[in-house]
Amino acid sequence: MTTPFVAVLMGSDSDLPVMQSTLDVLSSFDIPFEVKVTSAHRTPAATHAYVHGAEERGCKVFICAAGLAAHLAGAVAGITTRPVIGVPIDAGPLQGHDALLSTVMMPGGVPVATVAIGKAGAKNAGYLAAQMLAVASDEMAERVKADRQKNAEAVMAKDAALQEKLGR
Amino acid sequence: MTTPFVAVLMGSDSDLPVMQSTLDVLSSFDIPFEVKVTSAHRTPAATHAYVHGAEERGCKVFICAAGLAAHLAGAVAGITTRPVIGVPIDAGPLQGHDALLSTVMMPGGVPVATVAIGKAGAKNAGYLAAQMLAVASDEMAERVKADRQKNAEAVMAKDAALQEKLGR
Amino acid sequence: MTTPFVAVLMGSDSDLPVMQSTLDVLSSFDIPFEVKVTSAHRTPAATHAYVHGAEERGCKVFICAAGLAAHLAGAVAGITTRPVIGVPIDAGPLQGHDALLSTVMMPGGVPVATVAIGKAGAKNAGYLAAQMLAVASDEMAERVKADRQKNAEAVMAKDAALQEKLGR
Amino acid sequence: MTTPFVAVLMGSDSDLPVMQSTLDVLSSFDIPFEVKVTSAHRTPAATHAYVHGAEERGCKVFICAAGLAAHLAGAVAGITTRPVIGVPIDAGPLQGHDALLSTVMMPGGVPVATVAIGKAGAKNAGYLAAQMLAVASDEMAERVKADRQKNAEAVMAKDAALQEKLGR
Amino acid sequence: MTTPFVAVLMGSDSDLPVMQSTLDVLSSFDIPFEVKVTSAHRTPAATHAYVHGAEERGCKVFICAAGLAAHLAGAVAGITTRPVIGVPIDAGPLQGHDALLSTVMMPGGVPVATVAIGKAGAKNAGYLAAQMLAVASDEMAERVKADRQKNAEAVMAKDAALQEKLGR
Amino acid sequence: MTTPFVAVLMGSDSDLPVMQSTLDVLSSFDIPFEVKVTSAHRTPAATHAYVHGAEERGCKVFICAAGLAAHLAGAVAGITTRPVIGVPIDAGPLQGHDALLSTVMMPGGVPVATVAIGKAGAKNAGYLAAQMLAVASDEMAERVKADRQKNAEAVMAKDAALQEKLGR
Amino acid sequence: MTTPFVAVLMGSDSDLPVMQSTLDVLSSFDIPFEVKVTSAHRTPAATHAYVHGAEERGCKVFICAAGLAAHLAGAVAGITTRPVIGVPIDAGPLQGHDALLSTVMMPGGVPVATVAIGKAGAKNAGYLAAQMLAVASDEMAERVKADRQKNAEAVMAKDAALQEKLGR
Amino acid sequence: MTTPFVAVLMGSDSDLPVMQSTLDVLSSFDIPFEVKVTSAHRTPAATHAYVHGAEERGCKVFICAAGLAAHLAGAVAGITTRPVIGVPIDAGPLQGHDALLSTVMMPGGVPVATVAIGKAGAKNAGYLAAQMLAVASDEMAERVKADRQKNAEAVMAKDAALQEKLGR
């Protein structure tokens, strides 16, 4: 039997600093994951082979990060029918606007679940993967709920700190 | 016990013609769904009540469509921890560019799985929901795979028709 | 009886450096204000509770600052019928263009009085709040007029300094 | 004594069909208003004279609509210290994107309360003016609240109609 | 021995009306070509097989047309090392702006020779292919030069007609 | 009799570093000029008075620089019928895109001769003013021609230096 | 001796309907003009010859209209040192946004006096040419002033008509 | 007999640091090249003369780099019928978005093979030129294939390094 896991693909190892946020969120939920540097354009065969293999090994969700004409998420979405989350990276002179449109404007039949450009999106890719796995796991659903509660408390703590600072 | 289903929310009943594509895809996969017209801004309390209730009744995936400053998907994502798919509607003078940014650029911790603006996105929201449900159901995974195959055949049939027309 | 005041909400305490301009302008007009860190998505219930309470305590104008898919102003505008001023923050790779569209393109019935992205907007949120309070207070109207005059004199002083520097 | 009223200015009489929504909302709240066709560029003196006169006659809020390099709201905001609401009109090849930026990106000290491009914005200009007048009038505040409630009911009625149509 | 030819790929047969201009230009230069409807996402394997086969059969230049998140040209450029010309199609709500960025912003090592969005680009894809083939064929180079001359004469004829119409 | 001169207006003295290029070009052509810090919004009356006075003193061309919702050039163009050159300044988060549209998209009847955003535009405002004055002065026309020749030689000198560096 | 005139160049005779507004304004000021269809790319030699000849025949101002990657105005500005007015035409899928940037963002030393995209710009090109000629002609200056006055009266007449219609 | 070579033109020597990537790629393929600083606007005659001469000396492909209203590639494409590759440079406040549109949106009949903005595009201009020369040279085609293979191996090596670093 295969163990369910998440595969995190990125078009270049220069995307890793941004995508570390994804890995951190996945780790915080104890979600097993693999990380793979592979390019839709420079190593299409390796990409194809990896995605097929990962799906067979039990990969339930793919997360793909790329900049510029970001085709990686779309290419992976054309290979597998597992949900694919796309993270547009803000590399290059257009600051990720190109990556956003290249990732989100997929034609009918081959969706990419696109999140925000850059750091916020990288973080949310981890959360969204957890939410997707929670469709099949009530325990994961509980972890996601608990984390949301913790996040809310963090915002309220910041507010409390601000009120104190303002002397109220 | 609750029956798993998908909830399709839209900010206005004028979004229904575009969102019919979502309903058609869900129907084609025999996925039970509810449809709800509710507004993040005009009926926030009703939206909140519906989302809470739907989650309790077994809603596993939310699909939210809105145009202009499209807050509906983000608002729903702030209420539930189930995956939320956002469909930016191309209403108004900016043709959905505003709705896309309002839907996809969510801050860390509260993801919206955003699909393409308009019709293509509406269709893909249905496919993405099916892929998410398939995380928990091998049978659904098979249906999604079979449909992908059918789609590929449709493209190849169009090519065959073109070749014939070109007399080759 | 309640004392009229302005409530300044921001989605994150990282918005405070920009929003300090708002607080400075309000202070310069001796307008009482409260500051609140609260998120449309991470703490929707706390946001709702605060806005309701503030309105009851006599809040006459809400000022809301947020970046990315900036929903805070719109969410607050859906809770209260007091005027809501939205300040799009230039955080993230799209430099506030996303926050501007998410704030200003509100659907009919729920307006957000949107000002410029970033610092200029933060300053103007304070001025606009003063102008709104001046609808009910001739004294405030006089203060706003006097300040405008002072601003004009500052521009003219800069011109005089320039003329001197150019030796004319 | 002067009667408080709202002045609705537009750069061209071709803006009237869009701005009729503003007039309808003001009428629905029984708010007295004046309508004026005047141009920031073609009739600057007439604009100046009108704004000064209107302020003296008791105008509490100005609403200004213009397309292209929409300067009217900013020009009026430079003349009066009453709140000025700007409605960017979607005329010309850039569909109001130019008018939006020309209206909202005001420098510090001279705010324009900007609403959405086109029809939605025209409607919201009326609502926002009513909210501003309500700062000084509890009765107007009640009317605005009642209207909001009516709007919410309209959304819920549309949902009910949809449910019935879907046979649920 | 293989016969050199151009392969024209399009993501959907709905692109054919625009791409007919490409075919017309190729025909006018007596350049042999094949036309193929194939999708980077829906039929990735068929695309791969076709491109490999075409290259072996003597295809010297690929022309790829697609709309939305237009990945077809990039995907083909990742399979072959023959020059790939990308035509962004103005389908969907963003009028080809998404297709342009998805086609042109390719990462280092895998170029796509991108032409204008829509009809002008479709025409120029044909001209550019002819220019590329002319690198290896002086006869083709002469044909391209002659055609350029004819185009210049057409502009001058239009000017002459205008002068006559203006009575000069 | 009045002496013909150029008036250079800027909305803020923070625009001076960019606009120094304009002054340098005017100086290089021995064109008399005045510099004025004045704001379309903060000192509209002073702007009006200055423009009227300048025109009477013999100002033949106005150059106006402003950032954000850059109304200064348009406001001046509404006061005078002398040619007005607009320089969009790249201040603020939108990097002058807002200033460009606010300056160039003027309605029929009140043109602003718009040049590039920022430094290149500031330089060209000086050149364009010289070209306009040359309509009335053959001597100025000669100076402009001579300068263009010098510019061409500078480009060719840079090329020569490059060829030498490349050892050719 | 040469007679001063304006040369109106357009990249294609399909630009004539928009540019008719330019011709009408020039005619209304009794300004002699020539019209020429010529292309920066398809007939560069003819363009060069025409511009040189026109300058020698007494052309004082060039007006150039083009769409897409609109190079015509820039190309003409590189040939002559007379002022060149650029009219970006809203042809093609990007609605003139491409033509605007291609026309206005000229590098230092070779200015193009750019006006609005499309019809408003075409009209203003005529007005701007008249203003430029008025630098050398007090009579033309008077005509421009008189026309401005007439325009102002037209706006005021529209306002009067509106007031009457509103029964005030 | 002439030796085939590539000509690399740039509008300013400030483009050289970016364009060095092009030269490096050409060198790596042992492709002879010339480098020329020449401006479409400041030295149109020198540009014209160089392009004609280069074509006669055996230039088979032109590569043109320019920023802002980047006309150089289009101007060269209007002079020669050899393929012209355009590299939009990310100079100026709009970060190359202006240069991209000015380069790619060419009218029918005069194509420019446009690559990505900035560094990635500069690199790809070299690769694309090599691919074009390979149309006429099987040996060059082999070199391009070998280089692609090397690039793929580099991506795979980075992935291997990452796997090691992650301790897998």
Side-chain angles (χ1 to χ4, degrees):
Chain A
M1 209 204 76
T2 62
T3 318
F5 70 93
V6 171
V8 182
L9 289 77
M10 50 195 92
S12 158
D13 60 351
S14 66
D15 300 331
L16 190 58
V18 171
M19 293 304 292
Q20 188 60 48
S21 303
T22 307
L23 308 186
D24 292 349
V25 172
L26 293 175
S27 295
S28 78
F29 285 119
D30 280 329
I31 296 172
F33 61 85
E34 295 180 9
V35 186
K36 182 84 188 167
V37 173
T38 193
S39 163
H41 304 116
R42 282 177 284 204
T43 55
T47 302
H48 198 267
Y50 175 75
V51 173
H52 262 301
E55 194 175 333
E56 272 174 31
R57 283 197 315 283
C59 176
K60 294 296 188 209
V61 177
F62 290 85
I63 296 175
C64 300
L68 303 177
H71 296 195
L72 187 59
V76 171
I79 302 170
T80 182
T81 48
R82 290 294 173 200
V84 176
I85 300 172
V87 185
I89 298 293
D90 51 334
L94 299 182
Q95 294 156 299
H97 191 66
D98 42 2
L100 171 59
L101 297 182
S102 302
T103 303
V104 78
M105 296 302 291
M106 292 291 290
V110 191
V112 168
T114 305
V115 290
I117 302 169
K119 203 146 216 170
K123 217 169 156 182
N124 275 342
Y127 282 105
L128 187 54
Q131 291 178 340
M132 288 177 181
L133 293 179
V135 171
S137 154
D138 288 349
E139 200 214 321
M140 184 61 71
E142 284 313 308
R143 280 189 231 167
V144 174
K145 276 205 173 179
D147 181 272
R148 176 70 63 89
Q149 183 56 29
K150 233 174 50 190
N151 271 340
E153 281 157 17
V155 173
M156 289 185 277
K158 281 178 184 176
D159 181 54
L162 176 66
Q163 301 308 333
E164 192 155 327
K165 188 176 137 198
L166 295 173
R168 297 184 175 195
Chain B
M1 211 204 75
T2 61
T3 318
F5 69 94
V6 171
V8 182
L9 289 76
M10 52 195 91
S12 159
D13 60 351
S14 66
D15 300 332
L16 189 57
V18 171
M19 293 304 291
Q20 188 61 46
S21 303
T22 306
L23 309 186
D24 292 347
V25 172
L26 293 174
S27 295
S28 78
F29 285 119
D30 279 330
I31 297 172
F33 61 86
E34 295 181 9
V35 186
K36 182 83 187 168
V37 173
T38 192
S39 161
H41 304 116
R42 281 177 285 205
T43 56
T47 302
H48 197 269
Y50 175 75
V51 173
H52 262 301
E55 194 176 333
E56 271 174 32
R57 284 197 314 281
C59 176
K60 294 297 186 206
V61 178
F62 289 86
I63 296 175
C64 301
L68 301 177
H71 296 193
L72 187 59
V76 171
I79 302 170
T80 183
T81 49
R82 289 295 172 199
V84 176
I85 300 170
V87 185
I89 299 293
D90 50 337
L94 298 182
Q95 294 155 300
H97 190 67
D98 42 2
L100 171 60
L101 296 181
S102 302
T103 302
V104 78
M105 295 302 291
M106 291 292 288
V110 190
V112 168
T114 306
V115 290
I117 303 168
K119 203 143 217 173
K123 217 169 156 182
N124 275 342
Y127 283 106
L128 187 53
Q131 290 178 337
M132 289 177 180
L133 294 180
V135 170
S137 156
D138 289 348
E139 200 214 319
M140 184 62 70
E142 285 313 309
R143 277 188 233 168
V144 174
K145 277 205 173 179
D147 181 274
R148 177 70 63 91
Q149 184 55 32
K150 231 173 52 188
N151 270 340
E153 281 158 16
V155 173
M156 290 185 277
K158 280 179 184 176
D159 181 52
L162 178 66
Q163 301 308 333
E164 190 156 330
K165 187 176 136 196
L166 294 173
R168 299 184 175 196
Chain C
M1 212 203 74
T2 62
T3 319
F5 69 93
V6 171
V8 181
L9 289 76
M10 51 196 91
S12 159
D13 60 351
S14 66
D15 300 332
L16 190 57
V18 171
M19 292 305 290
Q20 189 59 47
S21 302
T22 306
L23 309 186
D24 292 348
V25 172
L26 293 174
S27 295
S28 79
F29 285 119
D30 280 331
I31 297 173
F33 61 85
E34 295 180 9
V35 185
K36 182 83 187 168
V37 173
T38 193
S39 162
H41 303 116
R42 281 177 285 205
T43 56
T47 302
H48 198 268
Y50 175 75
V51 173
H52 262 301
E55 194 174 334
E56 270 174 33
R57 283 195 317 281
C59 176
K60 295 295 188 209
V61 178
F62 290 85
I63 296 175
C64 300
L68 302 177
H71 296 195
L72 187 59
V76 171
I79 302 171
T80 183
T81 50
R82 289 295 172 199
V84 176
I85 300 171
V87 184
I89 298 293
D90 50 336
L94 298 183
Q95 294 156 298
H97 190 68
D98 43 0
L100 170 60
L101 296 182
S102 301
T103 302
V104 78
M105 296 301 292
M106 291 291 289
V110 190
V112 168
T114 306
V115 290
I117 302 169
K119 204 147 215 170
K123 218 170 155 181
N124 275 343
Y127 283 105
L128 187 54
Q131 290 179 338
M132 289 177 180
L133 294 179
V135 170
S137 155
D138 288 348
E139 201 213 320
M140 184 61 72
E142 285 313 308
R143 278 188 232 168
V144 174
K145 277 205 172 178
D147 181 274
R148 176 71 63 90
Q149 184 55 31
K150 233 175 48 190
N151 271 341
E153 280 157 18
V155 173
M156 289 185 276
K158 281 179 183 174
D159 181 52
L162 176 66
Q163 301 307 330
E164 192 155 327
K165 189 176 136 197
L166 295 173
R168 299 187 173 192
Chain D
M1 210 204 74
T2 61
T3 319
F5 69 94
V6 171
V8 182
L9 289 76
M10 51 196 92
S12 158
D13 59 350
S14 66
D15 300 331
L16 191 57
V18 172
M19 293 304 291
Q20 188 60 47
S21 302
T22 306
L23 308 186
D24 291 348
V25 172
L26 293 174
S27 295
S28 79
F29 285 119
D30 279 331
I31 297 173
F33 61 85
E34 295 180 10
V35 186
K36 182 84 187 166
V37 174
T38 193
S39 161
H41 303 116
R42 282 177 282 204
T43 56
T47 302
H48 198 267
Y50 174 75
V51 172
H52 262 301
E55 193 175 336
E56 271 174 32
R57 284 197 314 280
C59 176
K60 295 297 187 208
V61 178
F62 289 86
I63 295 174
C64 301
L68 303 176
H71 296 194
L72 187 59
V76 170
I79 302 170
T80 183
T81 49
R82 290 295 172 199
V84 175
I85 300 170
V87 185
I89 298 293
D90 50 335
L94 299 182
Q95 293 156 301
H97 190 67
D98 43 2
L100 171 60
L101 296 181
S102 301
T103 302
V104 78
M105 295 302 290
M106 291 292 290
V110 190
V112 167
T114 305
V115 290
I117 303 169
K119 203 143 217 172
K123 216 168 157 182
N124 275 343
Y127 282 106
L128 187 54
Q131 290 178 338
M132 289 178 181
L133 293 179
V135 171
S137 157
D138 289 348
E139 200 214 320
M140 183 62 71
E142 285 313 309
R143 279 188 231 168
V144 174
K145 278 206 173 177
D147 181 273
R148 176 72 62 91
Q149 185 54 31
K150 233 174 49 191
N151 271 340
E153 282 157 17
V155 172
M156 290 185 277
K158 280 178 184 175
D159 180 54
L162 177 66
Q163 302 307 331
E164 191 156 329
K165 187 176 136 197
L166 295 174
R168 295 182 178 200
Chain E
M1 212 203 74
T2 62
T3 317
F5 68 93
V6 171
V8 182
L9 291 76
M10 51 196 91
S12 157
D13 60 351
S14 66
D15 299 332
L16 189 58
V18 172
M19 292 305 290
Q20 187 61 47
S21 303
T22 306
L23 309 186
D24 292 348
V25 172
L26 293 175
S27 296
S28 78
F29 285 120
D30 280 331
I31 297 173
F33 61 85
E34 295 181 10
V35 186
K36 182 84 187 168
V37 173
T38 192
S39 161
H41 304 116
R42 282 176 284 203
T43 55
T47 302
H48 199 268
Y50 175 76
V51 172
H52 263 301
E55 195 176 333
E56 272 174 32
R57 283 197 315 280
C59 176
K60 294 298 186 205
V61 177
F62 289 86
I63 296 175
C64 302
L68 303 176
H71 295 194
L72 186 60
V76 171
I79 302 170
T80 183
T81 49
R82 290 293 172 203
V84 175
I85 300 171
V87 185
I89 297 293
D90 50 335
L94 298 182
Q95 295 155 301
H97 190 66
D98 42 3
L100 171 60
L101 296 182
S102 302
T103 302
V104 78
M105 296 302 290
M106 291 292 289
V110 191
V112 168
T114 306
V115 290
I117 302 168
K119 202 144 216 171
K123 217 169 155 181
N124 275 342
Y127 282 106
L128 187 54
Q131 291 179 336
M132 289 178 180
L133 293 180
V135 171
S137 155
D138 289 349
E139 200 214 319
M140 184 61 71
E142 285 313 308
R143 276 188 233 168
V144 173
K145 277 206 174 177
D147 181 273
R148 177 70 63 91
Q149 185 55 31
K150 231 173 52 190
N151 270 341
E153 280 157 19
V155 173
M156 289 185 277
K158 281 179 184 175
D159 180 52
L162 177 65
Q163 301 307 331
E164 191 155 328
K165 186 175 136 197
L166 295 172
R168 296 181 177 198
Chain F
M1 213 204 74
T2 62
T3 319
F5 69 93
V6 171
V8 182
L9 289 77
M10 51 195 91
S12 158
D13 60 351
S14 67
D15 300 332
L16 191 57
V18 171
M19 292 306 290
Q20 189 59 47
S21 303
T22 306
L23 308 186
D24 292 349
V25 171
L26 293 175
S27 295
S28 79
F29 286 119
D30 280 329
I31 296 173
F33 61 84
E34 295 181 9
V35 186
K36 183 83 187 169
V37 173
T38 193
S39 162
H41 304 116
R42 281 176 284 204
T43 56
T47 301
H48 198 266
Y50 174 75
V51 173
H52 262 300
E55 192 175 335
E56 271 174 32
R57 284 197 315 282
C59 176
K60 294 297 189 208
V61 177
F62 290 86
I63 295 174
C64 301
L68 302 177
H71 296 195
L72 187 59
V76 171
I79 302 170
T80 183
T81 48
R82 290 294 172 201
V84 176
I85 300 171
V87 184
I89 298 293
D90 50 335
L94 299 183
Q95 293 156 300
H97 190 68
D98 42 2
L100 171 60
L101 296 182
S102 301
T103 302
V104 78
M105 296 301 291
M106 292 290 290
V110 191
V112 167
T114 306
V115 291
I117 302 168
K119 204 146 217 170
K123 219 171 156 181
N124 275 343
Y127 282 105
L128 186 55
Q131 290 179 338
M132 288 178 182
L133 294 179
V135 170
S137 156
D138 289 349
E139 201 213 318
M140 184 60 71
E142 286 312 309
R143 278 188 231 168
V144 173
K145 278 205 172 176
D147 182 273
R148 175 70 63 90
Q149 183 55 30
K150 234 175 49 190
N151 270 342
E153 281 156 18
V155 173
M156 288 185 277
K158 281 179 183 172
D159 180 52
L162 177 65
Q163 301 307 331
E164 192 156 326
K165 190 175 134 196
L166 294 174
R168 301 188 172 192
Chain G
M1 211 202 74
T2 61
T3 318
F5 69 94
V6 171
V8 182
L9 290 76
M10 51 196 91
S12 158
D13 59 351
S14 66
D15 300 332
L16 190 57
V18 172
M19 293 304 291
Q20 188 60 47
S21 303
T22 307
L23 308 185
D24 292 347
V25 172
L26 293 175
S27 296
S28 79
F29 285 120
D30 279 331
I31 297 173
F33 60 85
E34 295 180 9
V35 185
K36 182 84 187 167
V37 173
T38 192
S39 162
H41 303 116
R42 281 176 285 202
T43 56
T47 302
H48 198 268
Y50 175 76
V51 173
H52 262 301
E55 194 175 335
E56 271 175 33
R57 283 197 315 280
C59 176
K60 294 298 186 206
V61 177
F62 289 86
I63 295 174
C64 301
L68 303 177
H71 295 195
L72 187 59
V76 170
I79 303 170
T80 183
T81 49
R82 291 294 171 201
V84 175
I85 300 170
V87 185
I89 298 292
D90 50 334
L94 299 182
Q95 293 156 302
H97 191 67
D98 43 1
L100 171 60
L101 296 182
S102 302
T103 302
V104 78
M105 295 301 290
M106 291 291 290
V110 190
V112 168
T114 306
V115 290
I117 302 168
K119 203 144 217 172
K123 217 169 155 181
N124 274 343
Y127 281 106
L128 187 54
Q131 290 179 338
M132 289 177 180
L133 294 179
V135 171
S137 155
D138 288 350
E139 201 214 318
M140 184 61 73
E142 285 312 309
R143 277 188 233 168
V144 173
K145 275 205 176 179
D147 181 273
R148 176 72 63 91
Q149 184 56 32
K150 233 173 50 191
N151 271 341
E153 281 157 17
V155 173
M156 288 185 277
K158 281 178 182 173
D159 181 53
L162 177 66
Q163 301 307 331
E164 191 155 327
K165 188 175 136 196
L166 296 173
R168 296 182 177 198
Chain H
M1 209 202 76
T2 61
T3 317
F5 69 93
V6 170
V8 182
L9 289 76
M10 52 195 90
S12 158
D13 60 350
S14 66
D15 299 332
L16 190 57
V18 172
M19 292 304 292
Q20 188 60 49
S21 304
T22 306
L23 308 186
D24 292 349
V25 172
L26 293 175
S27 295
S28 79
F29 285 119
D30 279 329
I31 297 172
F33 61 85
E34 295 181 8
V35 185
K36 182 83 187 168
V37 173
T38 192
S39 162
H41 304 115
R42 281 176 285 203
T43 56
T47 302
H48 198 267
Y50 175 75
V51 173
H52 263 300
E55 194 176 334
E56 271 174 32
R57 283 198 313 284
C59 176
K60 295 296 189 210
V61 177
F62 290 85
I63 295 175
C64 300
L68 303 176
H71 296 194
L72 187 59
V76 170
I79 302 171
T80 183
T81 48
R82 291 293 172 200
V84 175
I85 300 171
V87 184
I89 298 293
D90 50 336
L94 298 183
Q95 293 157 301
H97 191 67
D98 42 2
L100 171 59
L101 296 182
S102 301
T103 302
V104 78
M105 296 301 292
M106 292 291 289
V110 191
V112 168
T114 306
V115 290
I117 302 170
K119 204 146 214 170
K123 218 171 156 181
N124 275 342
Y127 282 106
L128 187 54
Q131 290 179 338
M132 289 177 181
L133 293 179
V135 171
S137 156
D138 288 349
E139 198 213 322
M140 184 61 71
E142 285 312 308
R143 279 188 230 166
V144 174
K145 278 206 172 176
D147 182 273
R148 177 71 64 90
Q149 183 56 30
K150 231 174 52 189
N151 270 341
E153 281 157 17
V155 173
M156 288 185 278
K158 281 178 183 173
D159 180 54
L162 177 66
Q163 300 309 331
E164 192 155 327
K165 188 175 135 199
L166 294 174
R168 297 181 176 198

